[in-house]
Amino acid sequence: MKLDSLKKINKKKIRPGRGIGSGKGKTSGRGHKGQKSRSGVAIKSFEGGQMPLYRRLPKRGFKSLFANNIAIINLSNLQKYHELKKIDLNSPINLKMLKEKNIIKKKFIKLKILGSGEIKNKIDISANFFSKQAKEKIEKIGGKLNILKN
């Protein structure tokens, strides 16, 4: 017969504060005096002198108060949305229209057009900023640019 099978199944629960003979009498294993001997005390984030988790992890992130809320969109994206019939490139395109169609989020204040990808349709667009590539490509197909004052 193996010794492993002789483990006691029904172990009695330790009941602190039940007399000297129980081995957990008087102070009930809490030692003498001090904060930790009192009831209802849990020292938050204290890990027994080990460097606490919140101090072991690196500090992350920074949110600038002066962040420019500029929406960026590529010409290829405008062409894709036109093909999906989300926007009509024959009508004027601006920040307000793109917000209404939920193409860009409402938090953005300014719009920048980048020149990645190709655009096939003539386009009339109003934005705060244009990249050089975007300007060239729009003018090449005979579109109109309207640079808004900041």
Side-chain angles (χ1 to χ4, degrees):
M1 202 151 132
K2 290 183 181 175
L3 293 173
D4 293 342
S5 61
L6 295 175
K7 281 184 182 172
K8 191 165 187 181
I9 297 166
N10 300 332
K11 282 189 176 176
K12 275 195 175 175
K13 189 175 133 191
I14 295 170
R15 299 176 69 209
R18 296 297 189 278
I20 206 167
S22 69
K24 285 269 190 252
K26 194 185 167 204
T27 55
S28 308
R30 286 173 175 263
H32 293 275
K33 298 186 181 175
Q35 185 181 14
K36 290 191 240 170
S37 71
R38 316 287 186 220
S39 69
V41 175
I43 301 169
K44 298 281 186 285
S45 76
F46 184 70
E47 299 180 19
Q50 172 177 300
M51 186 61 68
L53 182 67
Y54 73 92
R55 286 184 60 199
R56 276 180 292 190
L57 298 175
K59 292 191 220 174
R60 289 292 301 267
F62 168 77
K63 194 157 195 147
S64 173
L65 296 170
F66 308 103
N68 288 328
N69 288 335
I70 301 173
I72 294 172
I73 194 160
N74 274 308
L75 291 176
S76 59
N77 291 6
L78 290 173
Q79 186 65 43
K80 185 181 78 178
Y81 286 124
H82 177 68
E83 286 163 10
L84 294 172
K85 296 195 172 40
K86 261 198 163 187
I87 59 173
D88 182 23
L89 292 181
N90 301 326
S91 63
I93 291 168
N94 55 26
L95 182 69
K96 189 178 173 195
M97 188 273 283
L98 292 172
K99 281 183 182 179
E100 284 168 6
K101 303 271 185 179
N102 288 330
I103 291 168
I104 57 175
K105 290 183 180 169
K106 302 220 183 322
K107 70 176 182 178
F108 295 114
I109 304 165
K110 296 177 182 178
L111 178 63
K112 182 169 186 174
I113 308 297
L114 301 181
S116 175
E118 287 300 316
I119 192 147
K120 296 163 190 161
N121 304 56
K122 270 190 183 180
I123 191 169
D124 178 13
I125 191 157
S126 301
N128 301 80
F129 311 102
F130 290 90
S131 70
K132 284 180 188 173
Q133 264 193 327
K135 270 186 186 177
E136 288 167 12
K137 286 181 182 178
I138 292 169
E139 287 165 354
K140 186 179 164 188
I141 58 160
K144 272 199 277 180
L145 308 166
N146 184 15
I147 299 170
L148 304 170
K149 294 283 179 248
N150 299 331

